Amino acid sequence: MTRIPMPDLAYHPAAFPPSPPSDSDSPAAIIASDQHAFDQLTRTKDHWSRPGWSDKTRIIYWLLTFDEDPALTKSATDIQSALAPLDYDLIDTADLHLTLTRAGSRDQLSDSEIDKLASIAAGRVGPAFELTAHPLAGSAGAVRYSVTPWSPVIALHATLSILHDELELPGGKPTARFRPHLGVAYSRGEGVAQPVIDTVATLRALPPVDLAIAHVDLVELRREPGRYAWDLLHRIPMVRAEPTDA
């Protein structure tokens, strides 16, 4: 495995939150940053109104998926029951995912390039790690868990981005703009944010969920009515680190 220095996150007006937390490993700092940014919103926006997307768009993405993790499924179901009165598309528990980065659109990558990307990534993605999903915050277009810590996910994003550069693939947004999150619902349109903020605030006392991250998926992503769907192209396993002697 090739180790890389931990990249710095940076302010970017198109990221959400625009400013990263003060400490990428501190649950308190990450949760406070996410919640503060969400609570300052005045309007929601249509998540699906995105330039460059159509029903025919196909993009190669890296995702973390959860195979209907029982604890996450239970937590998300409880949350979505409370969100049901809002004008949001609820994410099926089988579709829960953490988006890492794109490799390029399907018409930009050949089958052989996709296979080569997956083959090399298998030696780069590093060991398995754990995350915790904390209820609850969001953005203008979604309601989502905060996830902690960020460092292993940031490192994975950076590793994949460097690999895209090495293979001269289009790649996605720079790691400095990356803000890990795990969505549970997408906004269908524009509206006043306060009712959503108030609903989300009532769910913050729910317990967090521990997640074991043991693989990363390379998928062909598409949009269907009210949801993202994908075809799995390659699943890259992460090796569990062996304990060291004291």
Side-chain angles (χ1 to χ4, degrees):
M1 179 187 71
T2 301
R3 294 189 178 274
I4 63 169
M6 177 61 64
D8 291 328
L9 301 183
Y11 171 86
H12 195 284
F16 196 88
S19 295
S22 58
D23 185 339
S24 295
D25 283 322
S26 166
I30 293 168
I31 293 167
S33 174
D34 282 355
Q35 293 184 357
H36 176 75
F38 181 62
D39 289 347
Q40 300 309 302
L41 292 174
T42 59
R43 301 284 295 177
T44 61
K45 67 181 182 181
D46 183 355
H47 175 85
W48 306 109
S49 180
R50 296 191 170 197
W53 277 93
S54 74
D55 292 343
K56 296 182 179 180
T57 302
R58 301 291 184 271
I59 301 180
I60 307 304
Y61 260 98
W62 291 100
L63 305 178
L64 298 181
T65 60
F66 303 99
D67 294 336
E68 298 188 80
D69 176 286
L72 183 61
T73 295
K74 173 65 166 60
S75 175
T77 300
D78 291 343
I79 287 168
Q80 290 171 344
S81 294
L83 299 178
L86 303 177
D87 188 26
Y88 275 63
D89 288 314
L90 305 179
I91 301 173
D92 191 283
T93 55
D95 295 337
L96 294 171
H97 62 280
L98 190 159
T99 303
L100 291 166
T101 188
R102 69 167 69 192
S105 63
R106 187 62 182 89
D107 57 7
Q108 292 174 310
L109 278 68
S110 67
D111 290 344
S112 61
E113 286 177 316
I114 292 170
D115 292 344
K116 183 176 182 181
L117 172 61
S119 177
I120 298 175
R124 302 274 189 99
V125 296
F129 57 88
E130 295 182 352
L131 295 176
T132 301
H134 302 265
L136 198 63
S139 66
V143 173
R144 60 202 202 185
Y145 292 94
S146 298
V147 295
T148 66
W150 279 12
S151 289
V153 198
I154 294 168
L156 180 55
H157 186 288
T159 296
L160 296 172
S161 297
I162 290 170
L163 179 51
H164 296 162
D165 289 344
E166 290 175 2
L167 297 178
E168 299 183 339
L169 303 179
K173 296 173 184 177
T175 301
R177 292 177 56 179
F178 184 46
R179 307 289 188 261
H181 60 269
L182 174 56
V184 292
Y186 298 124
S187 173
R188 296 191 187 113
E190 297 184 6
V192 177
Q194 197 60 51
V196 183
I197 293 169
D198 291 344
T199 299
V200 168
T202 67
L203 302 172
R204 288 178 178 163
L206 293 174
V209 181
D210 293 329
L211 304 169
I213 308 302
H215 61 263
V216 57
D217 290 347
L218 186 62
V219 307
E220 182 176 314
L221 190 76
R222 64 186 183 276
R223 291 200 327 194
E224 297 180 352
R227 68 187 288 255
Y228 291 103
W230 57 85
D231 295 320
L232 178 64
L233 303 177
H234 293 277
R235 172 161 287 182
I236 311 301
M238 297 175 173
V239 179
R240 292 207 170 272
E242 294 293 335
T244 57
D245 295 332

Short mmCIF file of all heavy atoms in Angstrom, two decimals, residues 49-59 102 105 223:
data_model
loop_
_atom_site.label_atom_id
_atom_site.label_comp_id
_atom_site.label_asym_id
_atom_site.label_seq_id
_atom_site.Cartn_x
_atom_site.Cartn_y
_atom_site.Cartn_z
N SER A 49 -31.95 19.26 -9.18
CA SER A 49 -31.69 20.28 -10.19
C SER A 49 -30.20 20.54 -10.28
O SER A 49 -29.65 21.45 -9.65
CB SER A 49 -32.43 21.58 -9.83
OG SER A 49 -32.19 22.58 -10.79
N ARG A 50 -29.53 19.69 -11.07
CA ARG A 50 -28.08 19.76 -11.16
C ARG A 50 -27.65 19.79 -12.62
O ARG A 50 -28.03 18.89 -13.40
CB ARG A 50 -27.45 18.56 -10.46
CG ARG A 50 -27.73 18.55 -8.97
CD ARG A 50 -26.90 17.53 -8.24
NE ARG A 50 -27.01 17.70 -6.81
CZ ARG A 50 -26.16 17.18 -5.93
NH1 ARG A 50 -25.15 16.45 -6.35
NH2 ARG A 50 -26.32 17.38 -4.64
N PRO A 51 -26.88 20.80 -13.02
CA PRO A 51 -26.42 20.87 -14.42
C PRO A 51 -25.62 19.63 -14.80
O PRO A 51 -24.85 19.09 -14.00
CB PRO A 51 -25.53 22.12 -14.43
CG PRO A 51 -25.97 22.92 -13.25
CD PRO A 51 -26.40 21.94 -12.22
N GLY A 52 -25.83 19.18 -16.02
CA GLY A 52 -25.05 18.05 -16.54
C GLY A 52 -25.67 16.70 -16.30
O GLY A 52 -25.16 15.70 -16.81
N TRP A 53 -26.74 16.64 -15.51
CA TRP A 53 -27.39 15.36 -15.25
C TRP A 53 -28.66 15.24 -16.09
O TRP A 53 -29.43 16.18 -16.22
CB TRP A 53 -27.78 15.24 -13.77
CG TRP A 53 -26.67 14.79 -12.88
CD1 TRP A 53 -25.82 15.58 -12.18
CD2 TRP A 53 -26.30 13.44 -12.59
NE1 TRP A 53 -24.94 14.81 -11.46
CE2 TRP A 53 -25.21 13.49 -11.69
CE3 TRP A 53 -26.79 12.19 -12.99
CZ2 TRP A 53 -24.59 12.35 -11.19
CZ3 TRP A 53 -26.17 11.05 -12.49
CH2 TRP A 53 -25.09 11.14 -11.61
N SER A 54 -28.87 14.05 -16.64
CA SER A 54 -30.12 13.71 -17.31
C SER A 54 -30.41 12.24 -17.02
O SER A 54 -29.61 11.55 -16.36
CB SER A 54 -29.99 13.93 -18.82
OG SER A 54 -29.19 12.91 -19.42
N ASP A 55 -31.53 11.75 -17.52
CA ASP A 55 -31.87 10.35 -17.31
C ASP A 55 -30.86 9.41 -17.98
O ASP A 55 -30.77 8.24 -17.61
CB ASP A 55 -33.27 10.06 -17.86
CG ASP A 55 -34.36 10.75 -17.06
OD1 ASP A 55 -34.07 11.17 -15.93
OD2 ASP A 55 -35.49 10.87 -17.58
N LYS A 56 -30.12 9.94 -18.95
CA LYS A 56 -29.15 9.11 -19.67
C LYS A 56 -27.74 9.22 -19.12
O LYS A 56 -26.84 8.49 -19.57
CB LYS A 56 -29.16 9.49 -21.15
CG LYS A 56 -30.48 9.21 -21.85
CD LYS A 56 -30.43 9.57 -23.32
CE LYS A 56 -31.77 9.27 -24.00
NZ LYS A 56 -31.73 9.61 -25.45
N THR A 57 -27.52 10.09 -18.15
CA THR A 57 -26.18 10.27 -17.60
C THR A 57 -25.73 9.02 -16.86
O THR A 57 -26.47 8.46 -16.05
CB THR A 57 -26.15 11.47 -16.64
OG1 THR A 57 -26.58 12.64 -17.34
CG2 THR A 57 -24.76 11.68 -16.08
N ARG A 58 -24.51 8.60 -17.12
CA ARG A 58 -23.89 7.47 -16.43
C ARG A 58 -22.48 7.90 -16.02
O ARG A 58 -21.69 8.31 -16.87
CB ARG A 58 -23.81 6.23 -17.32
CG ARG A 58 -25.17 5.72 -17.83
CD ARG A 58 -26.01 5.15 -16.71
NE ARG A 58 -27.26 4.57 -17.20
CZ ARG A 58 -28.40 5.25 -17.33
NH1 ARG A 58 -28.44 6.55 -17.03
NH2 ARG A 58 -29.49 4.66 -17.77
N ILE A 59 -22.21 7.82 -14.72
CA ILE A 59 -20.92 8.28 -14.21
C ILE A 59 -20.30 7.19 -13.35
O ILE A 59 -20.99 6.54 -12.56
CB ILE A 59 -21.06 9.59 -13.40
CG1 ILE A 59 -21.67 10.69 -14.29
CG2 ILE A 59 -19.71 10.05 -12.87
CD1 ILE A 59 -21.85 12.01 -13.59
N ARG A 102 -15.79 10.84 -8.13
CA ARG A 102 -16.03 10.26 -9.44
C ARG A 102 -14.71 10.01 -10.15
O ARG A 102 -13.70 10.69 -9.90
CB ARG A 102 -16.91 11.17 -10.30
CG ARG A 102 -16.28 12.47 -10.74
CD ARG A 102 -17.08 13.15 -11.83
NE ARG A 102 -18.36 13.66 -11.38
CZ ARG A 102 -19.32 14.08 -12.19
NH1 ARG A 102 -19.14 14.05 -13.50
NH2 ARG A 102 -20.45 14.54 -11.72
N SER A 105 -17.12 10.23 -16.50
CA SER A 105 -18.38 9.75 -17.08
C SER A 105 -18.12 8.46 -17.85
O SER A 105 -16.99 8.16 -18.27
CB SER A 105 -19.01 10.79 -17.99
OG SER A 105 -18.17 11.07 -19.08
N ARG A 223 -29.33 8.19 -12.37
CA ARG A 223 -30.45 8.72 -11.62
C ARG A 223 -31.74 8.09 -12.13
O ARG A 223 -31.95 7.97 -13.32
CB ARG A 223 -30.54 10.24 -11.74
CG ARG A 223 -29.41 10.93 -11.04
CD ARG A 223 -29.69 12.38 -10.71
NE ARG A 223 -30.52 13.12 -11.62
CZ ARG A 223 -30.62 14.45 -11.60
NH1 ARG A 223 -29.94 15.15 -10.72
NH2 ARG A 223 -31.39 15.08 -12.46
#
